[in-house]
Each structure stands twice: as structure tokens, then as C-alpha cells.
């Protein structure tokens, strides 16, 4: 784990008017969602009005994923106060027929906030993206997003590249999300620190469930320090619909005195996790053998290892995943887990003629290489975690074009997918004169009407 040093993310100096919306001062929650309507509860912090008799108003306009104005609300800041920062609750508004957010349907709404004086002049404005989605933990059962029990196909991720260390561009952050989506993953754990907001924005717009983690490795913060860091992390990240869990540190690095701090700043009250621990209904123990994993699934808690199949030891994640995954996805108290780790972590050593230093083999534990070179495990995971599984055990010469398929999406019907197919003839092993593969037929078909979590026929 190369920590690096100095400033490795952008630092901004903000110059604002005396009266303004506070930095990270917007909190959005959606307390009630049905197919017909969804409520939006907004709280805005305004700073700089202490001791002044100012009539200021917050106006919020809500825009659909297509950019259409769907509703608006406004609220007045209290005229008499002694605080430098005051909360301005806005009346709850309702959106009809909301388009829900999930990793498979990452529908993003936009909220535009304007701070106005009594003449209607805009003093300051902020924009936040958000999504309509619910989170429910059902004891000894599973995690439900929008009322559907999800299956976690996740990976741990470090912010890293050989040439720039922990400093990543927006393009590199998006590249990481696309790499995970390319392996049919739906979740990521931010081990072991909060990611750059640009990474979270990519998870929002492309669709990944996120575990946002308080910084640290095995040690824990003292309580006064941890309180400040949790407040900063949640105020910065609270409106991202992709964030499903908060993590109170890594592998015994939890300060249990901090467990109650997360919900003070999160109106959505998302579950708080102890990675490699048993807390809040989740058993997340790391690196259990196949038999030990079965024993953990006999416990009453939901089994969701926040690290499993460490890439350093299994010779490639793909080598052991099938057996584990078949056991995990079928067990009624297991909802999946997070592989360790996305990419080999190597530093380009300018003092060693560009040699990529993985600290021996300690940093070479990724699914892909240090520059995201796709290796065997990438393609194995992509296949095993594909949401569409062909269940035919054999195909004979009289094959009629009908495949038995299993839809492992959590939400999408297979009729939302299209399938490209080719019938090919491979050269024989003994034919040295012809080594090319011959395409006999090819085409494209729309998927059959096969609902999520069900089976059917693809013709």
C-alpha cells in the first residue's frame, strides 16, 4: 500500500459573497417512494447572516433525467438568529412517476438551488445531482434497493496509477468505473479512504453501488479526530445515490465510539459497516475458506465479506471464483461480496529506468495489471458475473437455435437487451492449410420476455 505524500488531489480556494449557501450545505433525502410518486426532503445551510436582518430565500428547482423542470419549492431563512450558519428547511415536494436509480437504471435528477435576497437577486447558486432509491436491511435476509433484494458483485478499489500514484484525472476515475462495469460488477468498496468526488459522480451516472470508507488501514482514529473526519466525509458525499453503505474503517480499525456519528449527518440513515467484523446486521469476515464460508452463512447475520479471494494467493481471482460464487449466490443469507483487489499496485521507478515496482509480489494482487492490462481473471469474472447465463449443458447437430437462459439482473427484463450472435466453423486441428475461422451465419435479436431473477428461452 503506497501512501505517497503531499497534496494528491485538487485543492480549491472558494471566494463567495458574505451571505451564501454553505460549502457542502445541501442535504437531499427521499423519505417516501412509490411507483406513482416520490417525496423530496431538502435542507440547505446558509452562512453569513449572523447579526444581520436579511430577508433571504432559498429556491429549489428539480429537473428530470431529460432536463425537464418537474417541480420546485422554496423556503425563508430565519430572520433572527445568533449563528453564523443556519438551516433552511424547504417544504417537501412530490415528483410523479419517478424514474428510480439503481446500478442497472442509473437515473439522475438534478436540483438547482438559488439563494435570493428580498429583491429577487440571486446571491449564490449550487447544483446537486441525486436519485430516487430506497435502502432497506432486512434482518437475516438481505439488502433491498427499491424493494428488490440485490446481489453484490463487488471489488475493492484503490485510487492508483504507476506514473501518478494516488493522483488521478477525471478520465482515469471514469476508466476505473467502466473497467468494473465491463466485468459485470455492480459494487465497489472504497478501500481504505473516500474516493475523489469525480469517481463518485461516475458511479452515480454509470451505475455502481458504493461503500464509502473512513480513512485508515488497521489503526483507528481517536474520537475527536474521527468525529471531524466523518462529518467532512458525509457532508461532502451525502447526496450521491450510489453510496449504499458507510464504513467505519478497515479490519479492526473501527473506533466504536464513532458508530453513532454517521447518522447525525446522513438524513438517509444508510447502514454503517465494520469491514471484517459483525455489525449492524452484516457479517463481513474476510478470506474464509470454502468450508468456513459455509459456517459463516449459518449465522443469523447477512453474510457479505468485504474482502474475499485475495488475488495474491489464488493465482488469479478467476481460479477460485466459480465454486465460491455458486455457493454464495444460492445461500439465503449471503448477498455476495467484494473481491480483493481491482488492479496490481506498482510504482514507476524513475530511479530504476522505469521499472514497475510492486514491492516484490505484495502489490501484484489485482484482477488486472498496473496499467489495467486485462488478464485471464478479467474474462473469467466477466463470464461468471454476466447477468445473462446460458444454461444449456450441450448443443447437438440438430440444435434449433433455442437457448435456455437465466436472467440474473436484479431489475431488468431481458427484452431490454440485444444479442449479437455468430455461427462459426473452426478449422480442424490437423488442417494446416486453413487456419481461419469461417462465419456461416450471423445476426442480432432482441432479448425474450424474461423477467429479472427468472429463467426462459432465448430464440
Amino acid at each position: 500500500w503506497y501512501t505517497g505524500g503531499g497534496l494528491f488531489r485538487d485543492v480549491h480556494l472558494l471566494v463567495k459573497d458574505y451571505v451564501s449557501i454553505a460549502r457542502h450545505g445541501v442535504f437531499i433525502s427521499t423519505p417516501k417512494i412509490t411507483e406513482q410518486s416520490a417525496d423530496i426532503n431538502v435542507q440547505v445551510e446558509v452562512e453569513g447572516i449572523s447579526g444581520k436582518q436579511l430577508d433571504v430565500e432559498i429556491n429549489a428547482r428539480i429537473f428530470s433525467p431529460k432536463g425537464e423542470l418537474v417541480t420546485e419549492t422554496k423556503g425563508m431563512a430565519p430572520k433572527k438568529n445568533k449563528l453564523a450558519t443556519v438551516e433552511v428547511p424547504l417544504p417537501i415536494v412530490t415528483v410523479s412517476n419517478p424514474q428510480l436509480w439503481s446500478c442497472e437504471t442509473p437515473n439522475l435528477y438534478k436540483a438547482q438551488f438559488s439563494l435570493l435576497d428580498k429583491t429577487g437577486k440571486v446571491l449564490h447558486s449550487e447544483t446537486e445531482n441525486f436519485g430516487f432509491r430506497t435502502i432497506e436491511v432486512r434482518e437475516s435476509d438481505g439488502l433491498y434497493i427499491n424493494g428488490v433484494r440485490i446481489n453484490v458483485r463487488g471489488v475493492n478499489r484503490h485510487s492508483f496509477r504507476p506514473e501518478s500514484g494516488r493522483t488521478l484525472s477525471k478520465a482515469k476515475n471514469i476508466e476505473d468505473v467502466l473497467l468494473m462495469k465491463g466485468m459485470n460488477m455492480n459494487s465497489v468498496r472504497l478501500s481504505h479512504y473516500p474516493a475523489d468526488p469525480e469517481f463518485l459522480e461516475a458511479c452515480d451516472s454509470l451505475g455502481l453501488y458504493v461503500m464509502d470508507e473512513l480513512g485508515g488501514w488497521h489503526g483507528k482514529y481517536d474520537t475527536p479526530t474521527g468525529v471531524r473526519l466523518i462529518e467532512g466525509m458525509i457532508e461532502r458525499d451525502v447526496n450521491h445515490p450510489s453510496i449504499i453503505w458507510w464504513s467505519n474503517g478497515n479490519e479492526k480499525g473501527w473506533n466504536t465510539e464513532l458508530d453513532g456519528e454517521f447518522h447525525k449527518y446522513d438524513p438517509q440513515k444508510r447502514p454503517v459497516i465494520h469491514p471484517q467484523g459483525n455489525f449492524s446486521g452484516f457479517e463481513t469476515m474476510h478470506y474464509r475458506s470454502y468450508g468456513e464460508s459455509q459456517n459463516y452463512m449459518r449465522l443469523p447475520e447477512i453474510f457479505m465479506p468485504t474482502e474475499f479471494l485475495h488475488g495474491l494467493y489464488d493465482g488469479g481471482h478467476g481460479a477460485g471464483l466459480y465454486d465460491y460464487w455458486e455457493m454464495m449466490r444460492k445461500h439465503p443469507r449471503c448477498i455476495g461480496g467484494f473481491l480483493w483487489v481491482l488492479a496490481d499496485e506498482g510504482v514507476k521507478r524513475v530511479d530504476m529506468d522505469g521499472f514497475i515496482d510492486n514491492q516484490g509480489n505484495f502489490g501484484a494482487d489485482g484482477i488486472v495489471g498496473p496499467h489495467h492490462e486485462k488478464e485471464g481473471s478479467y474474462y473469467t469474472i466477466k463470464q461468471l458475473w454476466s447477468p445473462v447465463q446460458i444454461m444449456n449443458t450441450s448443443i447437438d447437430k440438430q440444435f434449433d437455435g433455442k437457448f435456455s437462459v437465466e436472467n440474473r439482473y436484479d431489475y431488468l427484463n431481458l427484452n431490454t437487451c440485444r444479442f449479437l450472435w455468430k455461427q462459426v466453423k473452426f478449422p480442424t486441428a490437423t488442417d494446416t492449410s486453413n487456419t481461419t475461422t469461417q462465419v456461416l451465419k450471423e445476426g442480432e435479436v432482441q432479448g425474450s420476455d424474461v423477467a429479472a431473477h427468472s429463467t426462459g428461452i432465448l430464440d
Side-chain angles (χ1 to χ4, degrees):
W1 177 0
Y2 290 101
T3 55
L7 299 175
F8 54 86
R9 291 186 188 160
D10 289 344
V11 177
H12 300 275
L13 179 64
L14 297 179
V15 180
K16 302 189 293 185
D17 285 339
Y18 183 77
V19 180
S20 59
I21 298 171
R23 177 71 168 156
H24 305 313
V26 175
F27 299 83
I28 303 172
S29 61
T30 51
K32 183 180 178 182
I33 300 176
T34 67
E35 289 185 5
Q36 292 74 35
S37 65
D39 292 343
I40 306 173
N41 190 10
V42 179
Q43 199 163 25
V44 180
E45 293 182 349
V46 178
E47 58 188 5
I49 62 175
S50 177
K52 290 183 174 288
Q53 298 295 320
L54 291 178
D55 291 321
V56 292
E57 174 185 286
I58 292 288
N59 178 267
R61 307 174 76 204
I62 310 299
F63 296 88
S64 73
K66 292 184 177 180
E68 300 163 340
L69 178 66
V70 291
T71 188
E72 57 184 317
T73 182
K74 59 184 178 181
M76 296 292 296
K79 293 183 178 181
K80 294 183 179 181
N81 66 85
K82 296 181 180 179
L83 301 175
T85 302
V86 297
E87 294 181 353
V88 184
L90 277 64
I92 293 177
V93 291
T94 301
V95 172
S96 300
N97 304 313
Q99 299 178 57
L100 301 186
W101 187 96
S102 73
C103 74
E104 297 171 14
T105 58
N107 297 307
L108 286 178
Y109 285 72
K110 183 171 72 173
Q112 186 180 73
F113 300 93
S114 298
L115 178 65
L116 308 133
D117 65 15
K118 60 183 179 182
T119 68
K121 176 186 176 183
V122 177
L123 303 175
H124 185 209
S125 62
E126 292 282 353
T127 300
E128 290 277 346
N129 290 326
F130 72 100
F132 290 110
R133 58 104 183 88
T134 61
I135 302 171
E136 181 187 2
V137 180
R138 297 184 187 175
E139 185 177 356
S140 298
D141 180 3
L143 177 69
Y144 288 72
I145 305 294
N146 300 329
V148 175
R149 186 182 189 273
I150 68 163
N151 206 271
V152 174
R153 304 185 303 275
V155 69
N156 287 267
R157 181 254 189 183
H158 276 157
S159 304
F160 208 81
R161 288 297 188 284
E163 290 77 14
S164 60
R166 299 223 174 277
T167 300
L168 298 184
S169 65
K170 182 175 182 178
K172 292 298 182 185
N173 279 299
I174 294 173
E175 181 183 288
D176 280 9
V177 176
L178 291 174
L179 184 70
M180 296 176 218
K181 296 284 288 187
M183 284 184 277
N184 293 308
M185 294 174 172
N186 66 1
S187 305
V188 59
R189 176 183 169 214
L190 304 185
S191 49
H192 302 291
Y193 40 84
D196 190 301
E198 291 176 344
F199 178 80
L200 295 173
E201 290 165 5
C203 292
D204 292 340
S205 61
L206 297 171
L208 276 180
Y209 301 132
V210 175
M211 182 179 293
D212 204 354
E213 189 156 295
L214 179 66
W217 189 27
H218 287 153
K220 60 187 179 185
Y221 289 107
D222 62 85
T223 299
T225 304
V227 166
R228 296 197 304 274
L229 290 174
I230 290 171
E231 179 183 9
M233 175 177 73
I234 296 180
E235 287 189 347
R236 191 198 73 167
D237 297 342
V238 68
N239 295 323
H240 290 286
S242 57
I243 296 176
I244 306 299
W245 311 266
W246 304 112
S247 165
N248 185 2
N250 170 62
E251 290 187 344
K252 306 295 188 292
W254 343 291
N255 178 348
T256 57
E257 293 181 0
L258 299 174
D259 287 332
E261 293 297 312
F262 292 84
H263 287 178
K264 289 182 180 178
Y265 310 102
D266 178 18
Q268 299 179 32
K269 309 297 187 223
R270 283 166 271 212
V272 178
I273 299 294
H274 287 179
Q276 204 186 52
N278 189 321
F279 185 69
S280 69
F282 290 90
E283 170 57 69
T284 62
M285 190 63 183
H286 293 174
Y287 307 120
R288 298 302 89 186
S289 70
Y290 186 87
E292 288 172 325
S293 295
Q294 290 177 315
N295 287 334
Y296 272 85
M297 292 180 200
R298 295 184 180 105
L299 299 175
E301 289 80 16
I302 299 163
F303 186 54
M304 184 189 69
T306 35
E307 295 177 27
F308 77 106
L309 283 181
H310 198 297
L312 185 62
Y313 305 116
D314 77 345
H317 290 79
L321 180 59
Y322 177 80
D323 293 327
Y324 271 86
W325 190 244
E326 286 302 291
M327 171 180 62
M328 294 170 74
R329 74 178 185 86
K330 292 176 181 178
H331 199 282
R333 276 200 291 273
C334 182
I335 64 167
F338 298 81
L339 298 168
W340 184 274
V341 62
L342 179 64
D344 294 342
E345 200 160 327
V347 174
K348 183 177 180 179
R349 293 284 297 271
V350 295
D351 59 337
M352 298 176 67
D353 198 27
F355 172 71
I356 303 296
D357 187 354
N358 289 296
Q359 189 64 24
N361 70 349
F362 285 110
D365 52 3
I367 297 167
V368 298
H371 288 110
H372 289 182
E373 298 92 340
K374 294 176 182 177
E375 302 162 357
S377 286
Y378 172 90
Y379 297 99
T380 306
I381 295 167
K382 180 184 183 74
Q383 178 178 330
L384 295 180
W385 280 357
S386 171
V388 182
Q389 294 287 328
I390 294 176
M391 307 307 289
N392 300 56
T393 56
S394 64
I395 294 177
D396 57 30
K397 290 184 178 180
Q398 283 73 45
F399 176 58
D400 59 0
K402 290 182 169 58
F403 288 98
S404 175
V405 294
E406 188 173 309
N407 181 357
R408 296 183 185 174
Y409 277 116
D410 288 325
Y411 304 93
L412 295 178
N413 191 304
L414 285 197
N415 60 21
T416 63
C417 303
R418 61 191 180 97
F419 292 83
L420 309 180
W421 62 270
K422 290 181 181 179
Q423 183 185 13
V424 301
K425 182 179 180 180
F426 294 106
T428 63
T430 57
D431 188 355
T432 57
S433 61
N434 179 20
T435 59
T436 59
T437 299
Q438 183 182 359
V439 178
L440 304 178
K441 296 179 181 179
E442 61 182 311
E444 176 180 330
V445 296
Q446 183 179 356
S448 308
D449 182 9
V450 182
H453 299 166
S454 66
T455 59
I457 298 296
L458 177 67
D459 190 351

